[in-house]
Amino acid sequence: MTLDTEPDLSDFSRIDFSNGAVAAVSGGSDSTALLLLLKAHLDRNAPATKLLAVTIDHRLRPQGAAEAQAVARLCAARGIAHRILAWSGHKPSTGLPAAAREARYRLLAEAAEAAGIGLILTGHTADDQAETVLMRQARDEWPSDRAPSDAGQSDDGPRDEGRGLAGMAPATLYDWRHWIVRPLLGVRRAELREFLRREQVAWIEDPTNADTAFERPRVRAALAEGDGAPRVAEAMALATKAAVEREQLGHRAAMLIRSLASRPAAGLIRLDRDFATAADSRAAIYALRILLAATGGTAFLPDQARSQAVFGRLRTGPLCATLSRTVVDARRTGIFLHRELRDLPPAIEVSDNALWDGRRRITLGDSSGALLIAPLLVAPLGTALAAKRAIEGRGTPASLVRAALAAEPALWRDGECLGLPGEGAGLPGEGPMPAAVAAYPAVAPFARFLPSFDLAPADAVAALLGAAPVPASPFGGHSADLPRPKA
């Protein structure tokens, strides 16, 4: 196996590299092989493509800086642009691996943004996928889709019908802007290392990958034993099956959202009464969970068992309940969802690209310098001001519109409400509205991490909320066109 006869990496040929690529390269075997194989693929098929290798020095080990320099030398020898970015600042005493992963994704996205590149590639392999699936299979609950992890964002709650067993998605949208693509999910690590040996390219062994104080190295060590190969194949087959089921469920939930959900006022979602009697109750419960998280601005889907209980009560008649920071108010005229007024964010100074309450992306225009004359704050509108505003609820009860509006972000200066961002001139009795400030809907629970398994429901919620659509898939299509991990 050489650069001219690479392993089966057909995923490369399906990726759209027209806007360049950032390769995350730690210097380990997987990411080093990714870089060389990617460079060879682009040289043969798209030699004008912009390729940037990025190494993150987490500053957690003394050897980190030297290892980053070793990657820099390899890139220089191969004619590949390279940057080293360091994770500076405080390192938490607990949750360090998760914090390091969060920093890594953030820095990779910043490097891609600076280079004008929207695509990031990582070297996750079939071994990583198998480890991920086995870890999730072995414990009762899995991490969130939106929590950064080496596993590539999985699921959201305990015993959640196996959604987390889909493992890593072939692609994940980060911050609604940058696609993180994993083209080596079907390739075993041993294949990549054999490829590097034949190319006479060395790699770095990170000792933390063998530290059995952490769960993943323990699973990795177990897979290295005699029955490891069959267990990997079994885990990969399970991941493929779970991924298909997850995508199918997402498509069915998206159909329900598009046909039975509407937005009569800002911050308020209405579901037709038919939603509670949908024949496909599994898809309806899934859609409800997504809408609850989107309305409440939470990164996690609500607990499945509690969501099932709420859905069951919706079938029996009127209901007023709270789940996932969302009020569920079922009436004869419909099922209404809005953000509860508890635990809303305190007033904070306006900053560009801030995610407010998980529900709104605050942005500043070119004239934002004028806002610095006096501090401009964003805080909830509140019930008193919501009650004074003209209400256009399209037949929706005014009390629900006011309750939803009270939780919407408003701009404040010197204790005076200027109105809602982006609405133009302030209303009578309110100060002048800074035109430079806008608040766009964010699609929680997918605002930070959107696995490609979940493109259909994310698209549907984006359309419902009036949010920006999901950027085009790096594979030139949506979930039905995404490559599957190979068993």
Side-chain angles (χ1 to χ4, degrees), residues 450-485:
L450 169 57
S452 52
F453 303 136
D454 301 324
L455 286 176
D459 269 332
V461 176
L464 174 65
L465 299 181
V470 177
S473 163
F475 299 105
H478 276 8
S479 36
D481 301 314
L482 290 164
R484 309 281 184 205

Side-chain angles (χ1 to χ4, degrees), residues 293-306:
T295 305
T298 61
F300 295 80
L301 298 188
D303 176 77
Q304 171 136 351
R306 294 183 64 191

Side-chain angles (χ1 to χ4, degrees), residues 163-204:
R163 287 182 69 247
L165 297 182
M168 289 179 275
T172 296
L173 185 64
Y174 175 76
D175 211 22
W176 213 255
R177 291 185 295 177
H178 301 284
W179 281 106
I180 300 170
V181 181
R182 306 176 180 93
L184 303 183
L185 281 182
V187 183
R188 292 297 305 274
R189 179 170 294 119
E191 291 182 81
L192 297 175
R193 292 189 168 188
E194 179 60 24
F195 159 67
L196 291 176
R197 290 188 188 99
R198 294 186 182 187
E199 290 296 313
Q200 297 183 341
V201 175
W203 65 86
I204 297 163

Side-chain angles (χ1 to χ4, degrees), residues 260-275:
L260 298 177
S262 59
R263 183 169 55 97
L268 185 64
I269 290 176
R270 179 188 178 275
L271 299 171
D272 292 353
R273 288 299 316 180
D274 291 345
F275 181 87

Side-chain angles (χ1 to χ4, degrees), residues 140 142 155-164 289 301-302 304:
D140 287 338
W142 306 302
D155 205 54
D156 41 52
R159 299 178 179 87
D160 197 13
E161 299 190 4
R163 287 182 69 247
R289 296 175 68 203
L301 298 188
Q304 171 136 351

Side-chain angles (χ1 to χ4, degrees), residues 40-282:
H41 173 82
L42 294 177
D43 284 349
R44 285 193 303 271
N45 299 286
T49 298
K50 187 175 186 178
L51 174 60
L52 172 65
V54 176
T55 302
I56 307 301
D57 178 4
H58 296 86
R59 294 185 175 174
L60 296 175
R61 296 184 296 114
Q63 304 91 335
E67 291 168 357
Q69 288 299 328
V71 176
R73 290 192 293 273
L74 172 67
C75 290
R78 303 278 174 152
I80 301 170
H82 179 251
R83 287 190 64 188
I84 299 173
L85 299 177
W87 178 29
S88 57
H90 173 71
K91 308 296 191 294
S93 56
T94 59
L96 182 60
R101 288 188 291 267
E102 169 67 21
R104 181 161 59 250
Y105 281 121
R106 174 177 55 80
L107 291 169
L108 287 169
E110 289 175 2
E113 187 81 17
I117 295 173
L119 189 66
I120 300 167
L121 278 73
T122 67
H124 292 102
T125 66
D127 299 76
D128 295 312
Q129 183 76 303
E131 292 160 9
T132 298
V133 172
L134 292 174
M135 286 191 298
R136 294 174 186 171
Q137 195 176 35
R139 59 185 189 257
D140 287 338
E141 62 180 54
W142 306 302
S144 162
D145 275 327
R146 275 59 62 187
S149 75
D150 286 335
Q153 301 73 53
S154 174
D155 205 54
D156 41 52
R159 299 178 179 87
D160 197 13
E161 299 190 4
R163 287 182 69 247
L165 297 182
M168 289 179 275
T172 296
L173 185 64
Y174 175 76
D175 211 22
W176 213 255
R177 291 185 295 177
H178 301 284
W179 281 106
I180 300 170
V181 181
R182 306 176 180 93
L184 303 183
L185 281 182
V187 183
R188 292 297 305 274
R189 179 170 294 119
E191 291 182 81
L192 297 175
R193 292 189 168 188
E194 179 60 24
F195 159 67
L196 291 176
R197 290 188 188 99
R198 294 186 182 187
E199 290 296 313
Q200 297 183 341
V201 175
W203 65 86
I204 297 163
E205 293 285 2
D206 185 344
T208 59
N209 289 331
D211 186 352
T212 55
F214 299 102
E215 182 182 21
R216 185 174 290 274
R218 291 197 298 271
V219 174
R220 184 168 297 168
L223 287 176
E225 298 173 356
D227 63 344
R231 292 184 69 194
V232 169
E234 180 181 348
M236 292 292 289
L238 179 59
T240 300
K241 178 176 181 292
V244 171
E245 293 175 351
R246 178 166 168 171
E247 289 184 17
Q248 291 175 344
L249 180 62
H251 278 284
R252 287 164 20 223
M255 290 177 61
L256 290 173
I257 292 171
R258 290 186 184 278
S259 60
L260 298 177
S262 59
R263 183 169 55 97
L268 185 64
I269 290 176
R270 179 188 178 275
L271 299 171
D272 292 353
R273 288 299 316 180
D274 291 345
F275 181 87
T277 57
D280 190 350
S281 60
R282 185 166 177 244

